Amino acid sequence: MALIKFIEDKAPEMREIFEDLHANPEIGFEENRTAAIVEKCLTDWGFDEVHTGVGTTGVVGILRGRGQGNRRIGLRADMDALPITETTGLGYASTHAGKMHACGHDGHTTMLLGAAQYLAATRDFDGTAVVIFQPAEEGLGGARRMLAEGLFERFPCDEIYGMHNQPMSKLGRARIRKGAMMAGASFFDITLIGKGSHAAQPQNSRDVLVIGSELVGVLQTIVSRNVNPVLPCVLSCTQFHTGSAYNIVPETATITGTVRYFDRDVITLVEKRMEEVCAGLAAAHGIEIRLDMRNVFDVLVNEPELSDDYVAAAAEVLGAENVSDDAPLVMGSEDFADMLGQVPGAYINVMHGGEQPLHNPGFVLDPATLPIGSSIYAKIVERRMPLTKEAA
């Protein structure tokens, strides 16, 4: 492993930042403390510009290299935590009940800060580095909020790079996939409005509990009996809420869930069938069923040439034998896809050990991953905007 010496030397400082962020997690669009730490670091390290409040709590730093080039490369990290109660028992575990960095965004923020400190100290690149600290990645639309507020109009980028930790693997490896890598996602809310009654007189009801149970079963057949089996898609109902007492047949119920896909025609077909199923069951049982479907994540697509360079940058740190471009398709989603939809770039997974997956209350990010991520971020900037003697 060939970590950048400056970053390796700063690893203890990076770990302090990481542990502090982990102990003080903040949910999407509430990352005020985290944003303040990021702002102070970038300012103290001499960034040319530091902008706050981008997309509510996002931070963007602008750093000009020693050359006079006009190219601009973006590096992005997410900052938000999840509404999960931590069970790791770490000495720096979350101090806020019901909030936890169970996806490693505290680590991602620290990785980008480590790269930012090195780039600010050296400025050995010809162009401008744009570091983007994004709020609310976990399904709340943080990337879209930043884009809606003119992220790339205010801070233009020619290309952009993101990164995510991947546990339950082996430290010192990285993987990417050219083209489509992570699924798009739609979330849905279904409201059933029937007729309540006394539980002893169910004949007077239109029982949304029974009808909703039937609806969940029918929804699960949409993918298996309508979507071409060679096209990846998954529909999951994840919540079912109804009822208030032992002796009342409920009048209303809600069902929520998500659909993950890679093909636009597939999600169009699934949405159409969901509408038809809801309308059919409503008519059959004499109740009202409302379906609210909304796209939350686009398909994440890595630009092939830039993916190759990202692999090369990672190989400079980890060795070519430890970096691959054969990552599998992932049915999980990532809103960095929205940024890649406007600016070409790539997104890589940095592997580490651990026994628990992401979004688990026992998840632990290996701190040894931090200088690895920082070094890869820094290498891609220097590789894509090399500083020549003429430029310097």
Side-chain angles (χ1 to χ4, degrees), residues 226 269-282 291:
N226 293 268
L269 169 63
V270 170
E271 289 180 358
K272 180 174 181 292
R273 289 296 295 129
M274 290 179 69
E275 291 169 355
E276 292 170 345
V277 165
C278 288
L281 280 178
L291 170 65

Side-chain angles (χ1 to χ4, degrees), residues 190-195 206 208 211 215 251-253 278-279 281-291:
I190 300 174
T191 302
L192 298 88
I193 304 173
K195 182 180 179 182
R206 294 287 185 270
V208 292
I211 301 166
L215 177 57
E251 184 152 326
T252 62
C278 288
L281 280 178
H285 293 284
I287 69 167
E288 181 179 357
I289 301 180
R290 302 171 184 167
L291 170 65

Side-chain angles (χ1 to χ4, degrees), residues 64 132 145 168-169 210 255 298 314 321 346 362 370:
R64 300 179 184 91
I132 301 168
R145 179 78 62 85
M168 303 176 70
S169 184
V210 172
I255 298 168
D298 286 328
E321 70 279 7
L370 303 175

